[in-house]
Each structure stands twice: as C-alpha cells, then as structure tokens.
Amino acid sequence: MENVSNGSTQFSVKKEEPTLVLPAAETEKGLYFLSNLEQVSFMVRTVYCCKSDAKGNKDAAKVIKEALSKVLVHYYPLAGRLTKSSEGRLMVDCTGEGAIFVEAEADGTIEEIGDISKPDPVTIGKLVHDIPGVTNVLDAKLTLVAQVTKFKCGGFVLGLCLNHSILDGIAAIDFMNSWSETARGLPLEVPPFLDRSILKARNPPKIEFQHNEFVDIEEVSETNKVYEEEIIHGSFCFDPEKLGQLKKKAMEDGVLDKCTSFEALSAFVWRARTQALRMPSNQQTKLLLVVDGRSRFEPPIPKGYFGNAVVLTNSICSASELVKSPLSSAVGLVRKAINMVTNSYMRSAIDYVETTRARPSHAATLVVTSWSRLPFHTADFGWGEPVFSGPGDLPRKETVFYLAHGKDRKGINVLLCLPASAMKVFEQLMMEI
C-alpha cells in the first residue's frame, strides 16, 4: 500500500485575480436541457502537467485562454450557469457569462509536484482553483473553472474543475481535445453533439426494472462508527502480471472459463473492502458500477455527444454471501450487473428518475468508477502531450477509482479510502494475491 499523499507541500503558488473568459462569438441563449442522468451536481478536478520545450511557458496562459474563448462558441453551455427549474430539475442557463480563468505562478519546478498520480489535496489545492467561500456547487452555479500555473523550469500545469452534471468523462475528453486542437489552430476533429433530448424520459414513463441502485439499504453494522477513526487514502497498483494472477484466482474453481480484469478486480475489491470493514454476516451490501451506455443505447449515442451517457448498475447480496463464497461467485455478480445494462434497462432508469426524482443511495455501498481507459494524455495545447494527466480528486468513503498505470497504460491503480484499522486489513488481503 502506498499513501496517496505525496507530501509535496514545498512549492508555493501565487494566483492572480480570476477573470471571465467569454465565448469569442455570439452563442445561443436560454435554458439548456439536462437529462435525468445529469441531475446530481458536483465538480470533478483534473490536472494536465506539461514540461517546457524550446519556447518555454511564456505564452501558455495566453494561448490556452484565447483557445478557451474560441472553443466555448461550440461548447456554449460551459459559458452558462447552473439553475433549477420550478420542478426542481437541474438545467443550464446559457447566459454566455463565461468560464472562470486564473493565471498563477509557482516558485518551484514542476518536478516538485511529486507523484501527482496519487492525488494530494494540498498540492491539488494549489493547482486547481476553488471559489472561496463556496461549499455548495449549486451556490456557485459554475460549470467550468480553469487555472494555468507556470513553473520556474518552464513547465506549466492546467488545472480544471468541470461540473459532472454537464458532462461525463468521455465528453470531457472530447472537450479537452477540441480545446487543445483550437489552441494549435486546428479544426475540431469531433464537433460536439449538443442535443440531449435523445435521452429524455419517455411519455408516459415505462419502468421495466426494479432499479435497486436507488434502494436505501438498512445499516445493521457499526460501519459509521468505524469511519470516526482517522481516514487513510490508499493506492494499490495492479500491473498486468498481478491482474493476470487475480483472474487466474477467480477461475481456479472451474466455475468460470473466462474473466475480464474489470470483473475480477471489482469483485476482489468489493469482497476485500467488505471484510476490512468487518460487516456482520446479515448486513446487505451493494455494489454500484458506473457503466458507459454510449454503445448500449439503441440507436447508439452519436459520436461527440456532449453530456452524460453513463448509468449505474448494481448488485446486492449479504456480506456473508459475498465473503464466504469463492471469488468466482463475486465475479458472477459483477458480470450479471454489467450484462443487465441494456437499452431497455437504461431507458427504464431514466423513466424511474422522471417518476420518483430518486437519487442513488450509498448506504452500505461501494461505487466503482473506472477512469483507466480515458485518454487524458491526448490533450496537446502546442507543448506536446502532458507528462502527466488525470484526476485531481480523492475518492470519497464509498468510492473506488481505477486509473491507468504504467507507460503502456495496461496496469490499473486502485484508489480508495478506509478507516485506519480497516485499511490495515485491506492491505493484508491485497498481499494474498
């Protein structure tokens, strides 16, 4: 186990006053529809670390800022503000007010950031701008905040806050690629598809599945008391060899003839976390998997879809069933949850939210979200691909992040947090692979 905090607090950053970057041309105004997959609002932080080339970083902020102004013409909802309708639905008021942009200078070198693949809140706080005094993202109503920090070595870091209710990871990558293409004077390779009405609820709604992702599980354990301990953030690397060993372990009883890395890893982490938290045998535990629905919708979601097309699927079982059964059993539960995600299931989930206004429940739940296949590294603003790019957020107590690991990106880095006593148990279980 590696502690996530990289201990890099040596360099300091001086930030200039935030400015507003307006779209470079007139854009559509008015209310912009957000689907039922986009009714939970929170900011997602990402960082892009770029080393210097012959021209250094002198013009980095100017180039990136001017390109943002131009690309906002195409992605104009990001220049608007979040609002709520009279029915309580999240929408975007396309006011054209612009995105927040901050220029900053660091007194150190980019190497002093340390291993930023293991997010450290102190370091990220220097590189990604937060609006002072705002604790609720809806209070700020913002959709995009950008900061460019120049380092003495000539390198620079682009730190972003993007609102997840506006776009998911794949749409964010498309936006970043469009932004960087604009910075290099290129046309957009994948223009945004802005019509989110393709994911509107049906009229009348048609709920065809149980949708246990919204079910509130009764807590019969004392897990909340355990979380009163010191919380430790952990990072666990699974290189291709270790992933192979894990899949072999999942298939050793002969129940499965094949198994994916995602299935084996999710099953293993779910079991290990349940054991580490010492959930009693009769405690129900839920697994929520974040699944990209783009290719599963009928018809498939258009390329360049600017929005959220990820859905939650689930599996629920008792702690006893999960822990005492072979790993192959847990893999089977994960696989069943993934296979449940069909066009009918996703449309039913959209209609369920339309009817109930429900939000997913996280009681006795583990949420697995995989960023391991998101190509953050493709955003080239003219200084080459970033030497590092990826999320800047630490996982919340119910969440596990999967990040790509290694130069070939074939490994997976697992980030999660647990109470100190539970983390010790989790570490021991990891060593058994």
Side-chain angles (χ1 to χ4, degrees):
M1 196 274 287
E2 302 171 42
N3 194 288
V4 170
S5 175
N6 56 34
S8 177
T9 60
Q10 301 305 310
F11 68 94
S12 61
V13 171
K14 182 179 179 181
K15 298 182 182 182
E16 296 183 8
E17 286 297 314
T19 59
L20 283 173
V21 178
L22 278 61
E26 189 67 23
T27 57
E28 289 191 34
K29 302 297 189 293
L31 294 178
Y32 181 73
F33 171 77
L34 298 181
S35 80
N36 286 341
L37 301 180
E38 300 164 325
Q39 294 302 306
V40 178
S41 179
F42 59 93
M43 300 299 275
V44 177
R45 295 164 179 79
T46 51
V47 289
Y48 299 80
C49 302
C50 302
K51 287 196 173 180
S52 64
D53 59 6
K55 62 184 178 183
N57 62 23
K58 180 181 177 181
D59 297 325
K62 179 183 177 182
V63 169
I64 292 172
K65 186 176 184 179
E66 290 179 352
L68 177 58
S69 177
K70 293 175 183 177
V71 82
L72 283 176
V73 175
H74 304 279
Y75 292 85
Y76 62 86
L78 287 174
R81 297 294 181 263
L82 275 181
T83 188
K84 276 193 174 183
S85 70
S86 57
E87 294 83 25
R89 288 187 58 88
L90 280 177
M91 306 180 78
V92 178
D93 188 1
C94 294
T95 60
E97 291 178 62
I100 300 289
F101 193 88
V102 177
E103 295 185 44
E105 288 195 13
D107 64 359
T109 65
I110 203 165
E111 284 76 15
E112 291 180 57
I113 294 175
D115 186 359
I116 205 168
S117 67
K118 304 173 182 65
D120 165 43
V122 176
T123 301
I124 294 301
K126 297 175 182 179
L127 301 174
V128 183
H129 187 69
D130 285 318
I131 305 301
V134 174
T135 56
N136 185 340
V137 69
L138 283 177
D139 293 338
K141 301 181 180 180
L142 295 172
T143 57
L144 169 61
V145 180
Q147 176 180 323
V148 174
T149 305
K150 299 177 184 178
F151 285 78
K152 286 186 174 181
C153 60
F156 67 91
V157 174
L158 171 61
L160 291 181
C161 273
L162 282 166
N163 198 303
H164 203 295
S165 63
I166 308 298
L167 69 178
D168 61 16
I170 292 174
I173 295 299
D174 286 341
F175 167 67
M176 291 303 299
N177 287 337
S178 294
W179 186 0
S180 62
E181 287 162 359
T182 302
R184 302 197 316 272
L186 301 175
L188 305 192
E189 184 176 337
V190 183
F193 182 90
L194 293 165
D195 182 9
R196 303 191 188 202
S197 66
I198 60 174
L199 293 184
K200 268 190 173 181
R202 294 169 290 194
N203 188 13
K206 186 179 179 182
I207 302 171
E208 303 171 89
F209 296 84
Q210 193 168 349
H211 295 296
N212 286 330
E213 60 266 37
F214 300 100
V215 169
D216 197 359
I217 294 176
E218 181 185 0
E219 289 264 17
V220 298
S221 62
E222 296 187 347
T223 302
N224 288 335
K225 288 186 178 180
V226 179
Y227 272 99
E228 293 175 1
E229 299 177 13
E230 179 190 4
I231 302 301
I232 305 295
H233 285 86
S235 170
F236 300 87
C237 177
F238 288 77
D239 58 22
E241 181 181 356
K242 198 167 186 178
L243 288 171
Q245 292 171 347
L246 189 57
K247 289 193 285 185
K248 186 177 180 180
K249 183 178 179 67
M251 295 185 288
E252 65 185 4
D253 60 1
V255 174
L256 304 172
D257 58 358
K258 61 180 180 179
C259 176
T260 69
S261 295
F262 180 84
E263 290 170 343
L265 187 58
S266 299
F268 181 81
V269 171
W270 187 21
R271 288 173 89 230
R273 180 177 177 272
T274 301
Q275 289 175 269
L277 290 172
R278 296 182 175 87
M279 290 186 182
S281 298
N282 62 334
Q283 174 67 64
Q284 293 289 298
T285 175
K286 178 166 58 177
L287 177 70
L288 289 179
L289 300 174
V290 181
V291 178
D292 177 30
R294 280 168 171 75
S295 64
R296 297 172 184 243
F297 277 106
E298 296 175 7
I301 298 298
K303 190 175 183 180
Y305 180 73
F306 178 58
N308 281 269
V310 294
V311 296
L312 291 173
T313 185
N314 72 90
S315 183
I316 298 178
C317 68
S318 69
S320 176
E321 178 186 352
L322 181 63
V323 171
K324 294 182 179 179
S325 299
L327 182 58
S328 60
S329 175
V331 170
L333 293 174
V334 172
R335 180 175 296 174
K336 183 178 179 182
I338 295 171
N339 291 339
M340 190 163 59
V341 183
T342 61
N343 179 67
S344 296
Y345 176 86
M346 295 186 292
R347 296 288 180 184
S348 177
I350 291 171
D351 292 355
Y352 185 92
V353 175
E354 185 73 14
T355 303
T356 65
R357 298 293 183 221
R359 298 291 182 267
S361 171
H362 291 159
T365 295
L366 173 65
V367 183
V368 173
T369 179
S370 178
W371 292 27
S372 62
R373 294 187 178 181
L374 293 178
F376 292 101
H377 61 286
T378 56
D380 176 2
F381 286 88
W383 284 262
E385 291 185 353
V387 292
F388 172 80
S389 51
D393 290 303
L394 290 169
R396 295 180 293 274
K397 73 173 188 177
E398 70 276 358
T399 308
V400 168
F401 291 162
Y402 295 168
L403 309 177
H405 179 78
K407 290 184 178 180
D408 56 6
R409 302 175 61 83
K410 291 184 179 179
I412 296 177
N413 201 19
V414 177
L415 296 184
L416 80 164
C417 69
L418 283 169
S421 62
M423 186 62 83
K424 289 182 180 179
V425 177
F426 193 87
E427 284 183 62
Q428 292 168 359
L429 293 170
M430 286 290 162
M431 297 295 292
E432 295 178 4
I433 301 174

